[in-house]
Amino acid sequence: MMQHPFDSRGLTGVSRRIVLKSMLAAGAAGILSTLPSVSRATPVKGGTLTFGLAGANTTDTLDPGLMWDDFMMVLTLGLRNNLVELDANGKAVGELAESWDVSTDAKTWIFHLRKGVEFHNGKSLTAPDVIASINHHRGAKSTSLVKSVFDQISDIKADDAQTVRIVLAAGNVDLPVLLTDYHMGIMPANPDGTPDWQSGLGTGGYKLGVFEPGVRAEGTRFANYWKSDRAHVDSFKLIAINDATARQAALLSGQIQAMNRADTKTLGFLKKNDQIRVIEAEGYLHATFPMMVDVAPFNDKNVRLALKYAIDRDKLVNAILQGHGTVGNDHPIPASQHYFNRELPQRKYDPDKAKYHIKQAGLDRLAVNLSSSDAAFAGAVDAAALFQESAKAAGVDLNVIREPSDGYWSSVWAKKPFTACYWSGKPAPDSQFSLVYAKDASFGDTHWNNERFNSLLLQARAEFDDKKRAEMYGEMQALLSDDGGTIVPMFMNYIMGVRNNVGTPEKIAPDMSLDGMRALERWWVV
Protein backbone atom coordinates (compact mmCIF):
# COMPACT_ATOMS: atom_id res chain seq x y z
CA MET A 1 0.00 0.00 0.00
CA MET A 2 1.41 3.40 -0.95
CA GLN A 3 1.31 6.21 1.55
CA HIS A 4 -0.94 9.13 0.72
CA PRO A 5 0.92 11.77 -1.32
CA PHE A 6 -0.33 15.26 -0.50
CA ASP A 7 0.26 18.81 -1.60
CA SER A 8 0.04 21.76 0.77
CA ARG A 9 -3.34 23.09 -0.35
CA GLY A 10 -6.32 22.86 1.94
CA LEU A 11 -9.82 23.99 2.81
CA THR A 12 -11.14 25.16 6.15
CA GLY A 13 -10.47 22.38 8.65
CA VAL A 14 -8.80 20.29 5.97
CA SER A 15 -5.06 20.59 5.50
CA ARG A 16 -4.15 17.88 3.04
CA ARG A 17 -5.29 17.13 -0.46
CA ILE A 18 -5.54 13.84 -2.29
CA VAL A 19 -5.91 14.52 -6.00
CA LEU A 20 -6.75 12.18 -8.81
CA LYS A 21 -3.12 11.61 -9.76
CA SER A 22 -2.17 10.45 -6.26
CA MET A 23 -4.54 7.67 -5.42
CA LEU A 24 -4.83 5.25 -2.56
CA ALA A 25 -3.25 1.93 -3.37
CA ALA A 26 -5.42 -0.99 -2.39
CA GLY A 27 -2.81 -3.73 -2.72
CA ALA A 28 -2.58 -5.37 -6.10
CA ALA A 29 -2.45 -9.07 -6.82
CA GLY A 30 -1.35 -10.53 -10.14
CA ILE A 31 -2.69 -12.06 -13.30
CA LEU A 32 -1.43 -15.61 -13.67
CA SER A 33 -2.22 -16.29 -17.30
CA THR A 34 -0.84 -14.71 -20.44
CA LEU A 35 -3.89 -13.62 -22.41
CA PRO A 36 -4.19 -14.02 -26.20
CA SER A 37 -3.77 -11.07 -28.53
CA VAL A 38 -7.51 -10.32 -28.57
CA SER A 39 -7.15 -9.13 -24.98
CA ARG A 40 -4.87 -6.35 -26.21
CA ALA A 41 -7.03 -5.35 -29.15
CA THR A 42 -8.52 -1.87 -29.24
CA PRO A 43 -12.06 -1.90 -27.82
CA VAL A 44 -14.85 -1.62 -30.37
CA LYS A 45 -18.42 -0.52 -29.89
CA GLY A 46 -21.51 -2.60 -30.59
CA GLY A 47 -22.90 -6.08 -30.24
CA THR A 48 -24.33 -8.03 -27.33
CA LEU A 49 -22.32 -9.60 -24.53
CA THR A 50 -23.89 -12.62 -22.84
CA PHE A 51 -22.67 -13.99 -19.51
CA GLY A 52 -23.54 -17.27 -17.83
CA LEU A 53 -23.03 -16.67 -14.13
CA ALA A 54 -22.96 -18.63 -10.93
CA GLY A 55 -24.06 -16.83 -7.80
CA ALA A 56 -27.69 -16.05 -8.68
CA ASN A 57 -30.53 -16.46 -6.19
CA THR A 58 -34.31 -16.11 -6.37
CA THR A 59 -34.01 -13.76 -3.38
CA ASP A 60 -31.77 -11.35 -5.32
CA THR A 61 -32.80 -7.71 -5.12
CA LEU A 62 -31.77 -4.38 -6.61
CA ASP A 63 -31.28 -3.08 -3.07
CA PRO A 64 -27.48 -2.60 -3.01
CA GLY A 65 -27.33 -3.21 0.71
CA LEU A 66 -28.61 -6.76 0.26
CA MET A 67 -26.53 -7.80 -2.73
CA TRP A 68 -24.50 -10.90 -2.04
CA ASP A 69 -23.04 -12.88 -4.91
CA ASP A 70 -21.39 -12.63 -8.34
CA PHE A 71 -24.54 -12.22 -10.44
CA MET A 72 -25.71 -9.10 -8.60
CA MET A 73 -22.18 -7.72 -8.26
CA VAL A 74 -21.75 -7.73 -12.04
CA LEU A 75 -25.21 -6.25 -12.56
CA THR A 76 -24.96 -3.41 -10.06
CA LEU A 77 -21.51 -2.33 -11.25
CA GLY A 78 -22.93 -2.16 -14.76
CA LEU A 79 -25.88 -0.02 -13.68
CA ARG A 80 -24.28 2.20 -11.05
CA ASN A 81 -21.05 4.01 -10.37
CA ASN A 82 -19.35 4.47 -7.01
CA LEU A 83 -17.63 7.57 -5.68
CA VAL A 84 -14.36 5.66 -6.04
CA GLU A 85 -13.37 2.57 -8.04
CA LEU A 86 -10.42 0.18 -8.11
CA ASP A 87 -8.40 0.22 -11.31
CA ALA A 88 -6.73 -2.82 -12.87
CA ASN A 89 -3.74 -2.33 -10.56
CA GLY A 90 -5.89 -2.48 -7.44
CA LYS A 91 -5.58 1.25 -6.76
CA ALA A 92 -8.46 3.42 -5.62
CA VAL A 93 -9.14 6.09 -8.25
CA GLY A 94 -11.90 8.64 -8.52
CA GLU A 95 -15.10 7.60 -10.26
CA LEU A 96 -18.01 9.92 -9.45
CA ALA A 97 -15.66 11.74 -7.09
CA GLU A 98 -13.18 13.75 -9.15
CA SER A 99 -10.91 14.37 -6.15
CA TRP A 100 -11.03 14.49 -2.37
CA ASP A 101 -9.50 16.18 0.66
CA VAL A 102 -8.75 14.65 4.04
CA SER A 103 -7.95 16.15 7.43
CA THR A 104 -4.71 15.34 9.25
CA ASP A 105 -6.56 13.02 11.63
CA ALA A 106 -8.30 11.20 8.72
CA LYS A 107 -11.71 11.92 10.25
CA THR A 108 -13.01 14.57 7.85
CA TRP A 109 -13.24 13.82 4.14
CA ILE A 110 -14.48 16.17 1.42
CA PHE A 111 -15.41 14.60 -1.92
CA HIS A 112 -15.68 16.80 -5.02
CA LEU A 113 -18.20 15.34 -7.46
CA ARG A 114 -17.64 15.10 -11.18
CA LYS A 115 -19.78 17.56 -13.12
CA GLY A 116 -21.95 16.72 -16.08
CA VAL A 117 -22.89 13.22 -14.88
CA GLU A 118 -26.46 12.06 -15.55
CA PHE A 119 -28.65 9.31 -14.20
CA HIS A 120 -30.43 7.10 -16.72
CA ASN A 121 -33.58 9.23 -16.38
CA GLY A 122 -31.71 12.44 -17.28
CA LYS A 123 -31.40 13.78 -13.74
CA SER A 124 -28.00 15.35 -12.97
CA LEU A 125 -25.90 13.86 -10.19
CA THR A 126 -25.75 16.09 -7.09
CA ALA A 127 -24.63 15.78 -3.50
CA PRO A 128 -28.07 14.75 -2.10
CA ASP A 129 -27.94 11.61 -4.28
CA VAL A 130 -24.62 10.61 -2.77
CA ILE A 131 -25.82 11.34 0.75
CA ALA A 132 -29.00 9.29 0.31
CA SER A 133 -27.02 6.38 -1.16
CA ILE A 134 -24.46 6.29 1.65
CA ASN A 135 -27.05 6.78 4.39
CA HIS A 136 -28.76 3.64 3.09
CA HIS A 137 -25.91 1.66 4.68
CA ARG A 138 -25.78 3.30 8.10
CA GLY A 139 -28.00 3.96 11.06
CA ALA A 140 -30.14 1.84 13.35
CA LYS A 141 -32.80 1.13 10.69
CA SER A 142 -30.39 0.10 7.95
CA THR A 143 -30.64 -3.49 6.73
CA SER A 144 -27.45 -3.22 4.69
CA LEU A 145 -24.98 -6.09 4.84
CA VAL A 146 -22.15 -3.55 5.12
CA LYS A 147 -23.75 -1.60 7.94
CA SER A 148 -20.95 -2.49 10.37
CA VAL A 149 -18.42 -0.86 8.03
CA PHE A 150 -20.27 2.38 7.36
CA ASP A 151 -21.61 2.95 10.85
CA GLN A 152 -18.21 4.54 11.45
CA ILE A 153 -19.61 7.58 9.59
CA SER A 154 -20.88 10.01 12.23
CA ASP A 155 -22.10 12.71 9.85
CA ILE A 156 -22.52 13.33 6.15
CA LYS A 157 -23.71 16.55 4.54
CA ALA A 158 -23.52 18.66 1.38
CA ASP A 159 -21.19 21.67 1.40
CA ASP A 160 -22.75 22.56 -1.95
CA ALA A 161 -24.42 20.77 -4.86
CA GLN A 162 -21.15 19.15 -5.97
CA THR A 163 -19.38 18.66 -2.65
CA VAL A 164 -19.98 16.02 0.03
CA ARG A 165 -18.43 16.19 3.49
CA ILE A 166 -18.10 12.92 5.44
CA VAL A 167 -17.10 12.97 9.11
CA LEU A 168 -16.02 9.73 10.75
CA ALA A 169 -16.30 8.83 14.41
CA ALA A 170 -12.59 7.96 14.28
CA GLY A 171 -10.01 8.43 11.56
CA ASN A 172 -9.81 5.97 8.67
CA VAL A 173 -7.21 6.54 5.94
CA ASP A 174 -8.83 3.79 3.84
CA LEU A 175 -12.25 5.42 3.46
CA PRO A 176 -11.84 5.83 -0.34
CA VAL A 177 -11.05 2.11 -0.63
CA LEU A 178 -14.11 1.23 1.42
CA LEU A 179 -16.22 3.33 -0.95
CA THR A 180 -15.19 1.09 -3.87
CA ASP A 181 -17.29 -1.74 -2.41
CA TYR A 182 -19.94 -2.97 -4.86
CA HIS A 183 -22.66 -2.24 -2.29
CA MET A 184 -21.84 1.47 -2.51
CA GLY A 185 -23.33 2.31 -5.93
CA ILE A 186 -24.85 5.79 -6.14
CA MET A 187 -28.58 6.03 -6.80
CA PRO A 188 -30.91 9.01 -7.35
CA ALA A 189 -32.42 10.43 -4.18
CA ASN A 190 -36.15 10.41 -3.58
CA PRO A 191 -37.83 13.59 -2.27
CA ASP A 192 -37.81 12.11 1.25
CA GLY A 193 -34.03 11.64 1.21
CA THR A 194 -34.07 7.88 0.65
CA PRO A 195 -32.39 6.37 -2.41
CA ASP A 196 -34.42 5.03 -5.32
CA TRP A 197 -33.02 1.51 -5.54
CA GLN A 198 -36.19 -0.16 -6.80
CA SER A 199 -35.95 1.24 -10.34
CA GLY A 200 -32.35 0.18 -10.95
CA LEU A 201 -31.52 3.72 -12.08
CA GLY A 202 -27.90 4.73 -11.85
CA THR A 203 -25.19 6.71 -13.61
CA GLY A 204 -23.55 3.53 -14.96
CA GLY A 205 -22.89 2.44 -18.51
CA TYR A 206 -26.09 0.44 -18.87
CA LYS A 207 -29.82 0.97 -18.35
CA LEU A 208 -31.74 -1.93 -16.88
CA GLY A 209 -34.32 -3.53 -19.16
CA VAL A 210 -35.19 -6.89 -17.59
CA PHE A 211 -34.57 -8.24 -14.10
CA GLU A 212 -35.85 -11.65 -13.03
CA PRO A 213 -34.23 -12.56 -9.70
CA GLY A 214 -32.29 -15.80 -9.90
CA VAL A 215 -33.01 -16.11 -13.63
CA ARG A 216 -31.71 -13.30 -15.84
CA ALA A 217 -31.02 -9.61 -16.30
CA GLU A 218 -30.76 -7.57 -19.50
CA GLY A 219 -29.91 -4.00 -20.35
CA THR A 220 -28.82 -1.53 -23.03
CA ARG A 221 -26.00 0.98 -23.24
CA PHE A 222 -26.73 4.39 -21.71
CA ALA A 223 -26.22 6.90 -24.53
CA ASN A 224 -25.13 9.70 -22.21
CA TYR A 225 -22.64 7.67 -20.19
CA TRP A 226 -19.90 10.00 -19.02
CA LYS A 227 -17.11 7.45 -19.57
CA SER A 228 -16.55 7.54 -23.33
CA ASP A 229 -13.94 4.76 -23.14
CA ARG A 230 -16.14 2.28 -21.26
CA ALA A 231 -19.42 0.37 -21.73
CA HIS A 232 -18.59 -0.83 -25.23
CA VAL A 233 -21.45 -3.19 -26.15
CA ASP A 234 -24.92 -2.10 -27.20
CA SER A 235 -26.61 -4.56 -24.86
CA PHE A 236 -25.92 -7.25 -22.29
CA LYS A 237 -27.53 -10.41 -21.03
CA LEU A 238 -26.79 -12.06 -17.69
CA ILE A 239 -28.09 -15.62 -17.48
CA ALA A 240 -28.16 -17.42 -14.14
CA ILE A 241 -26.42 -20.80 -14.47
CA ASN A 242 -25.41 -21.98 -11.02
CA ASP A 243 -24.40 -25.48 -12.08
CA ALA A 244 -20.74 -25.56 -13.16
CA THR A 245 -21.25 -28.33 -15.74
CA ALA A 246 -24.18 -26.54 -17.36
CA ARG A 247 -22.27 -23.26 -17.35
CA GLN A 248 -19.31 -24.85 -19.13
CA ALA A 249 -21.59 -26.55 -21.68
CA ALA A 250 -23.25 -23.21 -22.44
CA LEU A 251 -19.87 -21.62 -23.11
CA LEU A 252 -18.70 -24.47 -25.32
CA SER A 253 -21.91 -24.36 -27.35
CA GLY A 254 -21.82 -20.59 -27.80
CA GLN A 255 -25.02 -19.99 -25.84
CA ILE A 256 -22.99 -17.65 -23.66
CA GLN A 257 -19.75 -15.77 -24.35
CA ALA A 258 -18.31 -15.56 -20.85
CA MET A 259 -18.58 -17.45 -17.57
CA ASN A 260 -17.27 -17.26 -14.03
CA ARG A 261 -16.12 -20.02 -11.67
CA ALA A 262 -14.76 -22.53 -14.14
CA ASP A 263 -14.51 -25.97 -12.53
CA THR A 264 -10.85 -26.90 -12.02
CA LYS A 265 -11.67 -30.60 -12.46
CA THR A 266 -12.88 -30.08 -16.03
CA LEU A 267 -10.76 -27.09 -16.96
CA GLY A 268 -8.92 -29.18 -19.55
CA PHE A 269 -12.03 -29.34 -21.74
CA LEU A 270 -12.08 -25.56 -21.99
CA LYS A 271 -8.36 -25.27 -22.65
CA LYS A 272 -8.53 -27.82 -25.50
CA ASN A 273 -11.18 -25.83 -27.36
CA ASP A 274 -9.57 -23.34 -29.75
CA GLN A 275 -12.66 -21.10 -29.56
CA ILE A 276 -12.24 -20.61 -25.82
CA ARG A 277 -9.61 -18.96 -23.71
CA VAL A 278 -9.19 -19.27 -19.95
CA ILE A 279 -8.41 -16.24 -17.80
CA GLU A 280 -6.99 -16.89 -14.36
CA ALA A 281 -6.21 -14.30 -11.69
CA GLU A 282 -4.83 -14.57 -8.19
CA GLY A 283 -6.91 -12.41 -5.88
CA TYR A 284 -8.52 -12.44 -2.44
CA LEU A 285 -11.04 -15.28 -2.79
CA HIS A 286 -10.75 -17.80 0.04
CA ALA A 287 -12.55 -20.78 1.54
CA THR A 288 -13.37 -20.88 5.24
CA PHE A 289 -14.74 -23.20 7.91
CA PRO A 290 -16.17 -20.88 10.59
CA MET A 291 -16.75 -22.16 14.15
CA MET A 292 -19.08 -20.34 16.55
CA VAL A 293 -16.84 -19.56 19.50
CA ASP A 294 -19.78 -19.09 21.87
CA VAL A 295 -21.00 -22.66 21.29
CA ALA A 296 -19.35 -25.70 22.90
CA PRO A 297 -16.90 -27.19 22.17
CA PHE A 298 -15.68 -24.33 19.96
CA ASN A 299 -15.65 -21.97 22.93
CA ASP A 300 -12.39 -23.66 23.92
CA LYS A 301 -9.37 -22.20 22.10
CA ASN A 302 -7.65 -25.58 22.26
CA VAL A 303 -10.50 -27.18 20.32
CA ARG A 304 -10.19 -24.50 17.65
CA LEU A 305 -6.44 -25.03 17.41
CA ALA A 306 -6.87 -28.81 17.25
CA LEU A 307 -9.13 -28.44 14.23
CA LYS A 308 -6.74 -25.99 12.58
CA TYR A 309 -3.90 -28.52 12.88
CA ALA A 310 -6.18 -31.39 11.78
CA ILE A 311 -6.78 -30.10 8.25
CA ASP A 312 -4.36 -30.91 5.43
CA ARG A 313 -4.23 -27.65 3.51
CA ASP A 314 -1.81 -28.86 0.85
CA LYS A 315 -4.09 -31.78 0.03
CA LEU A 316 -7.07 -29.45 -0.37
CA VAL A 317 -5.20 -27.12 -2.73
CA ASN A 318 -4.00 -30.06 -4.82
CA ALA A 319 -7.19 -32.13 -4.84
CA ILE A 320 -9.95 -29.49 -4.77
CA LEU A 321 -8.24 -26.67 -6.66
CA GLN A 322 -5.98 -28.83 -8.81
CA GLY A 323 -3.21 -26.46 -7.80
CA HIS A 324 -5.12 -23.30 -8.82
CA GLY A 325 -4.65 -21.60 -5.47
CA THR A 326 -2.50 -21.39 -2.37
CA VAL A 327 -2.72 -22.57 1.24
CA GLY A 328 -4.28 -20.30 3.83
CA ASN A 329 -3.12 -19.54 7.36
CA ASP A 330 -6.42 -18.99 9.20
CA HIS A 331 -6.76 -15.30 8.40
CA PRO A 332 -8.21 -13.55 5.31
CA ILE A 333 -5.14 -11.71 3.99
CA PRO A 334 -3.53 -13.41 0.94
CA ALA A 335 0.20 -13.47 0.27
CA SER A 336 -0.33 -11.17 -2.71
CA GLN A 337 -1.71 -8.40 -0.48
CA HIS A 338 0.59 -5.62 0.71
CA TYR A 339 -0.19 -6.14 4.40
CA PHE A 340 0.30 -9.91 4.43
CA ASN A 341 2.25 -10.96 7.53
CA ARG A 342 5.22 -12.84 6.07
CA GLU A 343 6.73 -13.45 9.50
CA LEU A 344 3.75 -15.45 10.76
CA PRO A 345 4.64 -19.17 10.57
CA GLN A 346 2.51 -21.11 8.12
CA ARG A 347 0.32 -23.59 10.01
CA LYS A 348 0.67 -27.08 8.59
CA TYR A 349 -1.12 -30.36 9.03
CA ASP A 350 0.17 -31.79 12.31
CA PRO A 351 -1.83 -34.66 13.89
CA ASP A 352 0.40 -34.69 16.99
CA LYS A 353 -0.22 -31.00 17.72
CA ALA A 354 -3.93 -31.56 17.15
CA LYS A 355 -3.92 -34.39 19.69
CA TYR A 356 -1.97 -32.22 22.14
CA HIS A 357 -4.62 -29.48 22.01
CA ILE A 358 -7.40 -32.03 22.36
CA LYS A 359 -5.80 -33.21 25.59
CA GLN A 360 -5.38 -29.58 26.70
CA ALA A 361 -9.12 -29.26 26.25
CA GLY A 362 -9.59 -32.18 28.64
CA LEU A 363 -10.67 -34.65 25.96
CA ASP A 364 -9.42 -37.99 24.70
CA ARG A 365 -10.93 -37.48 21.24
CA LEU A 366 -12.90 -34.68 19.67
CA ALA A 367 -16.25 -35.29 17.96
CA VAL A 368 -17.93 -32.45 16.00
CA ASN A 369 -20.37 -31.97 13.13
CA LEU A 370 -19.39 -29.99 10.01
CA SER A 371 -22.16 -28.78 7.69
CA SER A 372 -21.10 -28.39 4.08
CA SER A 373 -22.59 -27.81 0.65
CA ASP A 374 -21.18 -26.95 -2.76
CA ALA A 375 -23.21 -23.75 -2.42
CA ALA A 376 -20.47 -22.67 -0.04
CA PHE A 377 -17.76 -22.95 -2.69
CA ALA A 378 -17.03 -25.27 -5.61
CA GLY A 379 -15.85 -28.57 -4.13
CA ALA A 380 -16.86 -27.72 -0.56
CA VAL A 381 -18.40 -31.16 0.05
CA ASP A 382 -15.27 -32.90 -1.22
CA ALA A 383 -13.16 -30.53 0.86
CA ALA A 384 -15.14 -31.48 3.96
CA ALA A 385 -14.59 -35.17 3.16
CA LEU A 386 -10.84 -34.62 2.88
CA PHE A 387 -10.94 -32.71 6.16
CA GLN A 388 -12.77 -35.66 7.73
CA GLU A 389 -10.07 -38.01 6.49
CA SER A 390 -7.11 -36.00 7.77
CA ALA A 391 -8.87 -35.20 11.05
CA LYS A 392 -9.36 -38.88 11.89
CA ALA A 393 -5.60 -39.40 12.21
CA ALA A 394 -5.47 -36.31 14.42
CA GLY A 395 -7.92 -37.66 16.99
CA VAL A 396 -10.97 -35.85 15.58
CA ASP A 397 -14.19 -37.60 14.62
CA LEU A 398 -15.57 -35.16 12.08
CA ASN A 399 -19.13 -35.93 11.06
CA VAL A 400 -19.78 -34.26 7.68
CA ILE A 401 -23.39 -33.28 7.07
CA ARG A 402 -24.15 -32.62 3.42
CA GLU A 403 -26.64 -29.78 3.38
CA PRO A 404 -28.89 -28.91 0.43
CA SER A 405 -27.68 -26.01 -1.72
CA ASP A 406 -31.10 -24.39 -1.75
CA GLY A 407 -31.37 -22.30 1.38
CA TYR A 408 -27.83 -22.98 2.53
CA TRP A 409 -27.00 -19.31 3.14
CA SER A 410 -30.28 -18.56 4.91
CA SER A 411 -30.70 -21.73 6.97
CA VAL A 412 -27.26 -23.27 7.53
CA TRP A 413 -24.38 -20.80 7.32
CA ALA A 414 -24.17 -18.64 10.45
CA LYS A 415 -27.02 -20.72 11.90
CA LYS A 416 -25.19 -23.98 12.63
CA PRO A 417 -22.00 -23.92 14.73
CA PHE A 418 -19.51 -25.34 12.21
CA THR A 419 -20.02 -24.79 8.48
CA ALA A 420 -18.30 -24.26 5.13
CA CYS A 421 -18.14 -20.77 3.67
CA TYR A 422 -16.20 -18.54 1.28
CA TRP A 423 -15.33 -14.85 0.98
CA SER A 424 -14.42 -12.85 -2.08
CA GLY A 425 -12.11 -10.83 0.11
CA LYS A 426 -11.49 -7.10 0.14
CA PRO A 427 -8.66 -4.88 -1.14
CA ALA A 428 -8.22 -3.22 2.25
CA PRO A 429 -7.81 -5.31 5.43
CA ASP A 430 -10.11 -2.93 7.29
CA SER A 431 -13.05 -3.95 5.11
CA GLN A 432 -12.65 -7.69 5.64
CA PHE A 433 -11.85 -7.35 9.33
CA SER A 434 -14.81 -5.02 9.92
CA LEU A 435 -17.30 -7.13 7.99
CA VAL A 436 -16.45 -10.54 9.45
CA TYR A 437 -14.13 -10.48 12.45
CA ALA A 438 -14.66 -7.31 14.48
CA LYS A 439 -17.08 -6.97 17.36
CA ASP A 440 -20.66 -6.71 16.01
CA ALA A 441 -19.50 -7.40 12.44
CA SER A 442 -22.33 -7.61 9.89
CA PHE A 443 -21.10 -11.04 8.75
CA GLY A 444 -19.69 -12.21 12.07
CA ASP A 445 -20.26 -15.93 11.53
CA THR A 446 -18.08 -17.02 14.49
CA HIS A 447 -19.20 -14.43 17.09
CA TRP A 448 -15.52 -13.92 17.90
CA ASN A 449 -14.84 -10.88 20.08
CA ASN A 450 -11.18 -10.20 20.79
CA GLU A 451 -10.49 -6.98 22.69
CA ARG A 452 -6.94 -6.57 21.38
CA PHE A 453 -8.07 -7.18 17.79
CA ASN A 454 -10.85 -4.59 18.07
CA SER A 455 -8.46 -2.05 19.55
CA LEU A 456 -5.89 -2.55 16.80
CA LEU A 457 -8.60 -2.22 14.14
CA LEU A 458 -9.45 1.29 15.34
CA GLN A 459 -5.79 2.28 15.69
CA ALA A 460 -4.84 1.04 12.22
CA ARG A 461 -7.69 2.93 10.58
CA ALA A 462 -6.29 6.29 11.60
CA GLU A 463 -2.59 5.52 11.07
CA PHE A 464 -1.01 7.28 8.08
CA ASP A 465 2.38 5.66 8.68
CA ASP A 466 2.31 2.63 6.41
CA LYS A 467 4.94 0.71 8.37
CA LYS A 468 3.02 1.09 11.62
CA ARG A 469 -0.21 0.05 9.95
CA ALA A 470 1.52 -3.03 8.55
CA GLU A 471 2.66 -3.98 12.05
CA MET A 472 -0.87 -3.62 13.40
CA TYR A 473 -2.43 -5.63 10.58
CA GLY A 474 0.29 -8.24 11.03
CA GLU A 475 -0.58 -8.66 14.70
CA MET A 476 -4.27 -8.89 13.82
CA GLN A 477 -3.54 -11.72 11.40
CA ALA A 478 -1.65 -13.54 14.16
CA LEU A 479 -4.56 -13.06 16.57
CA LEU A 480 -6.99 -14.52 14.07
CA SER A 481 -4.70 -17.42 13.24
CA ASP A 482 -4.03 -18.37 16.85
CA ASP A 483 -7.29 -17.46 18.57
CA GLY A 484 -9.96 -16.82 15.94
CA GLY A 485 -12.87 -19.10 15.17
CA THR A 486 -12.22 -19.39 11.44
CA ILE A 487 -10.20 -21.99 9.59
CA VAL A 488 -8.92 -20.53 6.31
CA PRO A 489 -7.45 -23.54 4.50
CA MET A 490 -6.92 -22.09 1.03
CA PHE A 491 -7.07 -19.11 -1.30
CA MET A 492 -8.71 -19.86 -4.65
CA ASN A 493 -7.75 -18.31 -7.98
CA TYR A 494 -10.45 -16.68 -10.07
CA ILE A 495 -10.88 -18.80 -13.20
CA MET A 496 -13.04 -17.48 -16.02
CA GLY A 497 -13.80 -18.74 -19.50
CA VAL A 498 -14.52 -16.52 -22.51
CA ARG A 499 -15.07 -17.15 -26.19
CA ASN A 500 -12.52 -15.71 -28.58
CA ASN A 501 -14.89 -13.01 -29.80
CA VAL A 502 -14.77 -11.38 -26.37
CA GLY A 503 -12.20 -8.64 -26.00
CA THR A 504 -10.68 -7.92 -22.60
CA PRO A 505 -8.08 -5.43 -21.36
CA GLU A 506 -4.49 -6.59 -21.33
CA LYS A 507 -4.58 -6.47 -17.54
CA ILE A 508 -7.54 -7.88 -15.64
CA ALA A 509 -8.33 -6.44 -12.20
CA PRO A 510 -7.39 -8.95 -9.49
CA ASP A 511 -9.57 -7.81 -6.60
CA MET A 512 -12.61 -9.86 -7.66
CA SER A 513 -13.63 -12.18 -10.46
CA LEU A 514 -14.70 -10.89 -13.90
CA ASP A 515 -12.31 -7.94 -13.98
CA GLY A 516 -13.19 -6.68 -10.53
CA MET A 517 -16.84 -7.49 -11.35
CA ARG A 518 -16.70 -4.65 -13.90
CA ALA A 519 -16.64 -6.84 -17.02
CA LEU A 520 -19.87 -5.24 -18.28
CA GLU A 521 -18.19 -1.90 -18.83
CA ARG A 522 -14.61 -3.07 -19.45
CA TRP A 523 -15.10 -5.95 -21.94
CA TRP A 524 -16.33 -5.89 -25.54
CA VAL A 525 -17.18 -8.16 -28.48
CA VAL A 526 -15.29 -8.36 -31.78
Side-chain angles (χ1 to χ4, degrees), residues 38 41-44 46-47 233 257 277 499-504 524-526:
V38 68
T42 301
V44 295
V233 298
Q257 295 155 290
R277 73 182 193 277
R499 295 192 67 82
N500 284 343
N501 69 331
V502 176
T504 59
W524 62 94
V525 294
V526 293

Side-chain angles (χ1 to χ4, degrees), residues 307-361:
L307 289 165
K308 290 175 181 180
Y309 281 114
I311 189 167
D312 191 332
R313 300 157 200 268
D314 289 318
K315 184 172 288 187
L316 261 64
V317 170
N318 292 330
I320 304 300
L321 304 182
Q322 303 291 305
H324 296 275
T326 55
V327 296
N329 204 19
D330 302 326
H331 63 75
I333 309 301
S336 59
Q337 220 270 1
H338 174 68
Y339 291 115
F340 176 73
N341 184 349
R342 303 187 185 282
E343 297 180 358
L344 182 65
Q346 172 63 53
R347 180 168 287 117
K348 297 182 179 180
Y349 176 53
D350 192 327
D352 290 335
K353 284 188 177 179
K355 291 175 181 177
Y356 167 79
H357 285 291
I358 290 172
K359 288 183 178 180
Q360 291 296 108

Side-chain angles (χ1 to χ4, degrees), residues 17-39:
R17 148 120 338 158
I18 302 177
V19 292
L20 202 56
K21 292 182 180 179
S22 51
M23 298 303 170
L24 245 71
I31 300 300
L32 300 183
S33 59
T34 301
L35 303 182
S37 58
V38 68
S39 69

